[in-house]
Amino acid sequence: MAMDADDPQVEHIPVLAEALAERIDLPQDGVMVDATVGHGGHSLLFGERLGPRATLVGLDVDEKALFRAAERLKALKCKVVLLRCNFREIADQLDAAGIGPADFILADLGINSAQFADPQRGLSFQVDMPLDMRIDKRIETTAADIVNEADEKALADLIYEFGQERGSRRIARFIVQHRQNQPIMTTARLASIVAAALARPGGKWRRIHPATRTFQALRIAVNHELENLKALLAAAPRRLKGGGRFAVISFHSLEDGLVKADFKANSAAGVYDILTKKPIVPDRCEAERNRRARSAKLRMARKR
Ligand SMILES: C[S@@+](CC[C@H](N)C(=O)[O-])C[C@H]1O[C@@H](n2cnc3c(N)ncnc32)[C@H](O)[C@@H]1O
C-alpha cells in the first residue's frame, strides 16, 4: 500500500493511557485489536508488554495515520498487522486476516491531532481550510456538499441531532441565505456565518466557540460516525474471547450514550460484565496537559 506521512510535527498524545494501562493486563501470547490505531500511541503501550507469539492488530481508515503507526510499532517483538479499513467492518477484516478472538479490543474514537491540524481536511475553524471533513478520503460526500446542497430543514435537523445545537434552525436559515450569493467552501466562512446566526446583541460567546457544535454535527454526518460505532458495538462480543476486555474512549455524549446503552443491554443479556459503573475521565493533571483529553470518557466491559 502506497502511503504518505502526515505532518511529523503534530504529535497525538494518547488519552487516558495510564488509566487503561493500570486496568488491562494482557497475556504474553495475547491478541489485541486496536480499532483506531491512529499514531499507535495506545498500541505501543500495550504492544511493549506482548511477547513474540502475541498479535497486535491496528485498524484505521486513514492511510497517513497507518504510516505513522507502522513506524512507531516496527520495533515491537509481537506480530503487528495494520489494516486500512473502517472498524464497522471489523468482523470481515479480522476473518480475512485470519485473526481469532481477542483478549482486548480498544476503540479511541474521533480524530487524531494531525488530522485536526491538517489543512487539507477542513476539520478546524481556527485556521481557514477547504470545508471537507472526510477522515477517509474514499468517502464521496464532503461537508461542503452537505452545507451547499441540503435543504434548510435537513440542515437544521442534522445540526440539532448531531450537534445538540439549540440554534440549529437559525443557523440553517443563515447558511441557506449566504450560500445563495456564493457557495460556502471554507471552514472560516462557515464559522463566521454560524457565529453571525448565533450572535446576541452585546452578547459574549459561550464557553465554546459558537461554531463548535455545528462543526461537530457535520463531522459526524460526513464520516457516519454514529453508524460506524453502532456496527463496532454490535460486532465486538463475537470478536472477544471469554474474559476478553472491550474499552471505548468517547468524546461526546452521543457516542458515550451509545456505548453506555450497549454495555447495559449486553450485561442484561449475560454477554458482558460492566467494569466501569461510571465512565473513567482524565484527572486534572491529564486534562491540563492535554486539551483533547478534557471531554474523554472511558467505559470498559469484560465478555463472560
Ligand atoms: C483518537 S485517534 C486514535 C489515536 C490512537 N489511540 C493513538 O494513541 O495514537 C482516532 C483514530 O481513529 C481513526 N478512525 C476514526 N473513525 C474510524 C473508523 N470508523 N474506522 C477506523 N478508524 C477510524 C481516525 O482516523 C484516527 O486516526
Side-chain angles (χ1 to χ4, degrees):
M1 181 177 12
M3 292 192 271
D4 298 326
D6 58 17
D7 185 346
Q9 304 295 322
V10 183
E11 175 134 8
H12 181 89
I13 307 169
V15 166
L16 289 165
E18 274 173 41
L20 276 168
E22 278 166 16
R23 288 166 177 84
I24 303 288
D25 50 333
L26 289 176
Q28 273 281 304
D29 59 351
V31 175
M32 171 178 172
V33 178
D34 187 342
T36 52
V37 69
H39 292 180
H42 287 116
S43 277
L44 183 66
L45 182 77
F46 288 101
E48 278 171 341
R49 303 171 180 185
L50 293 171
R53 294 202 344 244
T55 306
L56 169 62
V57 184
L59 316 179
D60 208 292
V61 284
D62 178 8
E63 62 176 14
K64 291 183 179 181
L66 286 166
F67 183 90
R68 287 276 276 265
E71 272 304 298
R72 201 154 186 197
L73 303 175
K74 67 182 180 199
L76 291 179
K77 291 199 283 288
C78 63
K79 181 176 171 195
V80 175
V81 179
L82 295 176
L83 301 171
R84 184 184 183 197
C85 68
N86 192 306
F87 58 55
R88 70 172 176 239
E89 302 152 11
I90 187 168
D92 290 348
Q93 291 285 338
L94 295 184
D95 282 344
I99 309 289
D103 296 279
F104 179 36
I105 299 178
L106 171 66
D108 173 20
L109 301 172
I111 55 172
N112 67 54
S113 304
Q115 291 167 334
F116 187 71
D118 184 344
Q120 299 307 316
R121 291 194 195 261
L123 289 160
S124 167
F125 47 77
Q126 264 125 25
V127 183
D128 198 11
M129 302 178 177
L131 189 56
D132 187 318
M133 296 198 186
R134 292 170 301 162
I135 296 174
D136 181 350
K137 290 291 178 195
R138 296 169 296 189
I139 293 174
E140 284 177 9
T141 305
T142 66
D145 294 332
I146 296 176
V147 162
N148 291 297
E149 287 164 25
D151 68 34
E152 187 176 322
K153 181 174 179 313
L155 265 179
D157 290 349
L158 181 154
I159 295 168
Y160 185 73
E161 189 185 345
F162 296 150
Q164 298 162 306
E165 168 62 71
R166 279 179 293 158
S168 59
R169 304 221 165 277
R170 212 173 139 73
I171 294 170
R173 192 160 71 243
F174 268 58
I175 288 175
V176 169
Q177 277 165 7
H178 281 79
R179 77 186 185 192
Q180 275 160 9
N181 307 332
Q182 198 190 351
I184 302 162
M185 300 306 291
T186 67
T187 57
R189 178 147 181 255
L190 177 63
S192 77
I193 293 167
V194 175
L198 297 182
R200 284 166 292 167
K204 288 198 176 139
W205 284 353
R206 292 164 290 181
R207 201 168 51 85
I208 53 170
H209 186 286
T212 308
R213 293 179 200 280
T214 302
F215 271 63
Q216 172 186 303
L218 285 166
R219 198 194 85 200
I220 290 175
V222 166
N223 295 293
H224 308 284
E225 291 183 12
L226 301 182
E227 291 103 299
N228 294 340
L229 176 56
K230 284 182 200 164
L232 174 66
L233 293 169
R238 275 174 291 116
R239 306 310 314 189
L240 283 165
K241 290 181 188 164
R245 261 78 50 88
F246 183 28
V248 185
I249 304 174
S250 62
F251 292 87
H252 54 75
S253 59
L254 296 172
E255 288 172 344
D256 185 54
L258 289 177
V259 179
K260 184 179 173 187
D262 177 82
F263 283 11
K264 202 170 157 196
N266 273 310
S267 160
V271 177
Y272 287 155
D273 290 315
I274 296 175
L275 303 176
T276 45
K277 240 179 167 176
K278 288 214 161 118
I280 297 166
V281 296
D283 59 23
R284 191 141 55 99
C285 183
E286 178 171 6
E288 274 167 18
R289 218 174 42 229
N290 182 6
R291 248 192 100 71
R292 227 190 125 261
R294 287 183 196 174
S295 50
K297 286 193 172 142
L298 165 64
R299 292 187 188 267
M300 294 194 295
R302 180 176 45 223
K303 186 174 167 188
R304 283 196 194 151

